[in-house]
Amino acid sequence: MSTSQIPLHELEDFALELARLAGNIALANFRKSIEISNKDAIGFDPVTSADHAIEQVLRTTIVERYASHGIVGEEQGRTDSLSPYTWYLDPIDGTRAFMMGSPLWGTLIGLTYDDSPLFGLMVQPVLEEVFLGTSDASWLVKPTSRQRLKIRNCTNLANAALASTHPDLFDADSAAAFNTLAAQCLLHRWGGDCYNYAMLAAGFVDLVVEDQLKDFDIVPLIPMLQGAGCVVTDWSGKPSLRGGKVLAAATPQLHAAALAALA
Amino acid sequence: MSTSQIPLHELEDFALELARLAGNIALANFRKSIEISNKDAIGFDPVTSADHAIEQVLRTTIVERYASHGIVGEEQGRTDSLSPYTWYLDPIDGTRAFMMGSPLWGTLIGLTYDDSPLFGLMVQPVLEEVFLGTSDASWLVKPTSRQRLKIRNCTNLANAALASTHPDLFDADSAAAFNTLAAQCLLHRWGGDCYNYAMLAAGFVDLVVEDQLKDFDIVPLIPMLQGAGCVVTDWSGKPSLRGGKVLAAATPQLHAAALAALA
């Protein structure tokens, strides 16, 4: 098998095994007394032992199977390679939710080919949900069911449910733009982290708008979102492969309206 | 049996049956296409058919069992009685979360005796969790386990995790007070509705601070919170039986510090 032609079914089986490994570690640490260290001298950016343990097991498992692939992870940074394949790992997206007992966090696992998102998933082990996909099709995989993900056909802001994680992730300028957009939407909720994107793909949220994302926060979600019909870009309409300002919308019409409101 | 002396085990069994009825209706409507009507001409206060159906079945079941009791519910208002017992019902606390696919909502069922909270529960059927209690003891009841709820021993704001539902629930004055408090806490998250109080009782959140609550939003939660060790008052330290501004804290020391910050 050439490394440039991993069959999709093989990739999905492998990624689901990674999701299972990550979920087991996360569940063993969820709602337990966990050690919290502070990796940001200025703000408060908690890192749990679960974060570190998950990324380590994912990296080890990927290297055993696909030794040539690159890996980008939240905790251990970038391992470059000559392969066109690079894995993007966020061991626990939503660490604060995790710490505060909420199940709205997930492990993100994505694969790019020549810097283009190929496949990705988000696993939420408390709810036993894996949201996965390619740009062709996306699925919610549960222990005994598998169901196609499809956006809600929302085409204007006045009918749109908007989600975003926390106002502190916006600076003064981006907060003003966000508030202009939010005021035109039907309803808006804070909180949610990666789970907001899953609900967008599933058709219960219409817009997710965020700032200050890292590449590993969004790259694993892009194929799943596109496969459900979403449009995902930065706030100027360009691809959002480096994180930063992200706009994910259920439909092209809604995406255009949100872009205009944010401008 | 006198209506003024319902044994606690009988009350708990009955309330768990109410929780099961409510959960079945909620689950049947969760992540389905639901009809949303707008009961507030100014803002957006969604009412789902699930809200109405749950309150109706709870009222019917209560009347069948305890015909003399009073009932206060979100959708149908107050049914007065001569009995010292009054039930407080919030069929779906967190309707917006419910609409947007998040499992962080719950049905609240509480009972007061002579206007004093006697027993209460919050049920989250997706997670199969019931948080219940009296002021003596509180429990997380799951299908195959039962575990005592106990606060985390957090005594100062600098170590406290603070949760609240949405900034729009504060007016300009209360927002300023809230922001003063939030700036002194270790971390802060928006979102969560009733689930924040459950996580406070379980020891993963240390403070919940909100404004503009209704009586049925908080009365059912007070016994469960007190039974886990929490202090629950309004922002002036008085009982919060009418809703409005609510401050729930893990410990008396933290409660005093938060009261001072909000003043």
Side-chain angles (χ1 to χ4, degrees), chain A residues 31 101 129 189 193 195 204, chain B residues 31 129 189 193 195 204:
Chain A
R31 296 192 184 170
E129 294 172 337
R189 280 187 69 80
D193 294 278
Y195 209 78
F204 301 106
Chain B
R31 296 193 184 169
E129 294 172 338
R189 280 187 69 79
D193 294 277
Y195 209 78
F204 301 106

Side-chain angles (χ1 to χ4, degrees), chain A residues 76-258:
Chain A
Q76 296 184 37
R78 173 178 290 268
T79 305
D80 283 322
S81 86
L82 296 175
S83 161
Y85 286 107
T86 302
W87 293 84
Y88 284 78
L89 309 174
D90 191 350
I92 296 180
D93 182 86
T95 312
R96 292 177 183 213
F98 186 94
M99 291 170 56
M100 291 169 77
S102 159
L104 298 193
W105 46 271
T107 300
L108 308 184
I109 301 170
L111 183 63
T112 61
Y113 185 81
D114 283 343
D115 276 341
S116 179
L118 178 67
F119 173 87
L121 67 78
M122 185 276 271
V123 51
Q124 207 321 304
V126 180
L127 296 162
E128 298 187 295
E129 294 172 337
V130 182
F131 297 82
L132 62 79
T134 67
S135 59
D136 288 333
S138 301
W139 304 86
L140 167 55
V141 178
K142 302 204 33 130
T144 58
S145 69
R146 183 185 177 95
Q147 143 189 7
R148 185 77 185 265
L149 291 170
K150 189 170 183 313
I151 52 84
R152 175 162 59 194
N153 188 31
C154 175
T155 55
N156 63 77
L157 297 175
N159 290 330
L162 165 67
S164 192
T165 297
H166 199 282
D168 286 356
L169 297 175
F170 298 95
D171 64 22
D173 286 347
S174 65
F178 179 86
N179 291 337
T180 300
L181 170 64
Q184 298 175 59
C185 291
L186 179 66
L187 76 165
H188 160 230
R189 280 187 69 80
W190 293 110
D193 294 278
C194 57
Y195 209 78
N196 290 333
Y197 296 96
M199 290 302 97
L200 172 58
F204 301 106
V205 165
D206 305 297
L207 278 174
V208 184
V209 178
E210 300 198 280
D211 196 0
Q212 299 186 34
L213 293 190
K214 299 298 199 323
D215 49 5
F216 47 75
D217 288 329
I218 189 65
V219 167
L221 295 165
I222 291 174
M224 184 268 286
L225 289 166
Q226 292 177 334
C230 300
V231 182
V232 194
T233 67
D234 67 14
W235 290 15
S236 64
K238 300 200 189 81
S240 55
L241 299 178
R242 298 285 164 264
K245 292 180 166 62
V246 168
L247 163 60
T251 61
Q253 299 93 323
L254 191 62
H255 181 265

